Amino acid sequence: MSLSTQVVWLFVLAIPISSVAWTVTHEEVFREIREYCVCCSKDCRNVVQRKFFYLFTCEYCFSHYVTAIFLALTRFKLLYLGWRGYIISLFALVWVANLYMTIYAHFRVDLKVGRFEAKKIEHEVREKTEPPQIHRPAA
């Protein structure tokens, strides 16, 4: 594979990796499992168990395992043939996937701020345009 093709694969393959890692570690569909893992990552007595459960709560940590699965499925190697290509592609894919997740997180925050500001403006307009309501005490 040419270097330019490898770079395209790097940036394209990082998209599903970041999508899976983000979904498992942040989205509502996995909330119950994630909350269980958070509890276990804090409460388990065994350090190995705590670290194992922590992996499912951290998008950076979890993305390493998702990347390893994708590398096994696609056999993508970067720069070198053999095991060195797998090692380089593992860390490069994790880096790009986490870059995508960071951009997505900032984008989501901007959307939430925009929605909040729109609701605030909507509320202010409603207060100015609706006639004041007089509350009379009950008899």
Side-chain angles (χ1 to χ4, degrees):
M1 227 188 308
S2 70
L3 182 59
S4 59
T5 304
Q6 289 179 19
V7 170
V8 169
W9 268 95
L10 171 68
F11 283 92
V12 170
L13 197 52
I15 294 169
I17 291 169
S18 61
S19 176
V20 170
W22 183 271
T23 301
V24 170
T25 59
H26 287 85
E27 296 302 329
E28 187 66 24
V29 69
F30 290 103
R31 182 176 53 87
E32 291 84 5
I33 296 168
R34 188 173 49 257
E35 287 174 354
Y36 173 77
C37 290
V38 167
C39 288
C40 290
S41 72
K42 292 177 182 177
D43 298 336
C44 286
R45 294 179 189 255
N46 185 334
V47 69
V48 174
Q49 287 177 322
R50 284 196 313 267
K51 298 304 177 190
F52 172 78
F53 285 109
Y54 180 76
L55 295 176
F56 297 97
T57 65
C58 170
E59 72 268 5
Y60 175 75
C61 302
F62 191 65
S63 68
H64 285 78
Y65 293 94
V66 175
T67 301
I69 292 168
F70 273 82
L71 285 177
L73 293 172
T74 64
R75 302 192 190 284
F76 173 66
K77 295 179 268 309
L78 188 61
L79 300 179
Y80 294 100
L81 297 175
W83 66 270
R84 294 181 299 171
Y86 284 122
I87 298 294
I88 291 171
S89 62
L90 176 101
F91 291 109
L93 282 167
V94 166
W95 190 85
V96 174
N98 279 279
L99 177 67
Y100 288 165
M101 287 187 277
T102 301
I103 292 167
Y104 182 69
H106 286 293
F107 181 68
R108 281 183 60 146
V109 168
D110 289 344
L111 283 175
K112 285 184 181 183
V113 168
R115 282 190 212 125
F116 177 76
E117 289 173 349
K119 284 183 182 180
K120 180 182 173 191
I121 292 169
E122 209 175 278
H123 179 71
E124 290 171 354
V125 167
R126 200 176 308 125
E127 282 183 343
K128 290 179 182 177
T129 58
E130 289 180 358
Q133 295 181 1
I134 300 172
H135 296 287
R136 295 186 179 153

